[in-house]
Amino acid sequence: MNELLGHLIKYSENFAFLLDKTFANDIIYNIYDIFYYGFFYIVYWKLISQQQFKLWVKRLSFIALGSYVLSCFFQNPMLISLYYATSLASLILAVICILYLMDKGSNWQWKKEKYNLVCWVSFGLVFFHSIFPVLFLIGFLQQDIWDAYELHTVLRFSILSMYILFCIGFIKSRKRSFG
């Protein structure tokens, strides 16, 4: 959905969510990001069994979502992406996915986990969200570096890699492997 939304906004001049052209579509992405990260935070909070890790997920989630509120004091969410908050939320999602994998502890066995969709989704999210914040900040703060090193190619490769890991999970997953 995110890629489709981005494509429509970038390549269709008439596409806009808001009729007032003074506002960019950034507000839509800012709202979308809160739901996107919030969704994963809740899912992983429910999947993790160790209370200590659950507490970390809860704290990190509040920090991430609080960073969006704090960013609104320094950036206008109607006109620009809240890139600092999104970068922080992205890193936190990667950490939460790692906590999920650590939660498996000594019970973790590749023989079983290779059939667990959540495991593959976690691998994809960790890969992408470990790279994305750096690229996102460079794209907003250092456009000349973004262009000189063609970092959009790195971003596309990381998106593709994440979705390939998701697809492997969809193909290999079995219901008995969840839990």
Side-chain angles (χ1 to χ4, degrees), residues 100-135:
Y100 166 77
L101 295 170
M102 288 172 55
D103 185 57
K104 297 288 187 181
S106 61
N107 296 334
W108 198 90
Q109 296 175 353
W110 177 245
K111 194 185 306 184
K112 179 184 174 196
E113 294 301 325
K114 67 182 178 185
Y115 300 111
N116 184 346
L117 175 61
V118 180
C119 187
W120 286 101
V121 168
S122 298
F123 290 153
L125 291 174
V126 167
F127 178 80
F128 177 75
H129 288 287
S130 297
I131 298 168
F132 173 72
V134 175
L135 296 175

Side-chain angles (χ1 to χ4, degrees), residues 62-127:
F62 282 121
I63 289 169
L65 298 175
S67 71
Y68 279 98
V69 173
L70 186 63
S71 287
C72 289
F73 290 108
F74 301 100
Q75 298 171 294
N76 185 346
M78 298 291 284
L79 300 175
I80 191 166
S81 176
L82 301 175
Y83 48 85
Y84 290 118
T86 299
S87 297
L88 179 62
S90 181
L91 281 175
I92 287 174
L93 180 55
V95 169
I96 288 173
C97 291
I98 292 169
L99 287 174
Y100 166 77
L101 295 170
M102 288 172 55
D103 185 57
K104 297 288 187 181
S106 61
N107 296 334
W108 198 90
Q109 296 175 353
W110 177 245
K111 194 185 306 184
K112 179 184 174 196
E113 294 301 325
K114 67 182 178 185
Y115 300 111
N116 184 346
L117 175 61
V118 180
C119 187
W120 286 101
V121 168
S122 298
F123 290 153
L125 291 174
V126 167
F127 178 80

Side-chain angles (χ1 to χ4, degrees), residues 49-68:
S49 59
Q50 291 185 41
Q51 290 304 314
Q52 180 184 7
F53 289 162
K54 282 177 103 74
L55 183 62
W56 273 105
V57 170
K58 194 176 189 179
R59 288 177 179 165
L60 290 171
S61 300
F62 282 121
I63 289 169
L65 298 175
S67 71
Y68 279 98

Side-chain angles (χ1 to χ4, degrees), residues 14-74:
N14 297 328
F15 186 82
F17 284 104
L18 304 172
L19 298 176
D20 185 355
K21 297 291 184 187
T22 60
F23 292 111
N25 284 315
D26 288 308
I27 185 64
I28 301 302
Y29 272 111
N30 290 329
I31 293 169
Y32 172 81
D33 283 344
I34 292 169
F35 283 102
Y36 172 84
Y37 292 110
F39 167 77
F40 280 112
Y41 297 159
I42 291 168
V43 167
Y44 280 103
W45 182 79
K46 289 185 177 191
L47 288 172
I48 290 174
S49 59
Q50 291 185 41
Q51 290 304 314
Q52 180 184 7
F53 289 162
K54 282 177 103 74
L55 183 62
W56 273 105
V57 170
K58 194 176 189 179
R59 288 177 179 165
L60 290 171
S61 300
F62 282 121
I63 289 169
L65 298 175
S67 71
Y68 279 98
V69 173
L70 186 63
S71 287
C72 289
F73 290 108
F74 301 100

Side-chain angles (χ1 to χ4, degrees), residues 111-170:
K111 194 185 306 184
K112 179 184 174 196
E113 294 301 325
K114 67 182 178 185
Y115 300 111
N116 184 346
L117 175 61
V118 180
C119 187
W120 286 101
V121 168
S122 298
F123 290 153
L125 291 174
V126 167
F127 178 80
F128 177 75
H129 288 287
S130 297
I131 298 168
F132 173 72
V134 175
L135 296 175
F136 196 55
L137 288 174
I138 290 172
F140 272 97
L141 302 174
Q142 298 290 327
Q143 185 69 41
D144 53 333
I145 294 173
W146 176 266
D147 294 334
Y149 293 102
E150 297 185 20
L151 292 178
H152 57 76
T153 304
V154 176
L155 181 62
R156 287 181 180 154
F157 172 76
S158 64
I159 291 169
L160 180 64
S161 298
M162 177 181 68
Y163 284 132
I164 286 172
L165 289 168
F166 288 0
C167 289
I168 291 169
F170 287 127

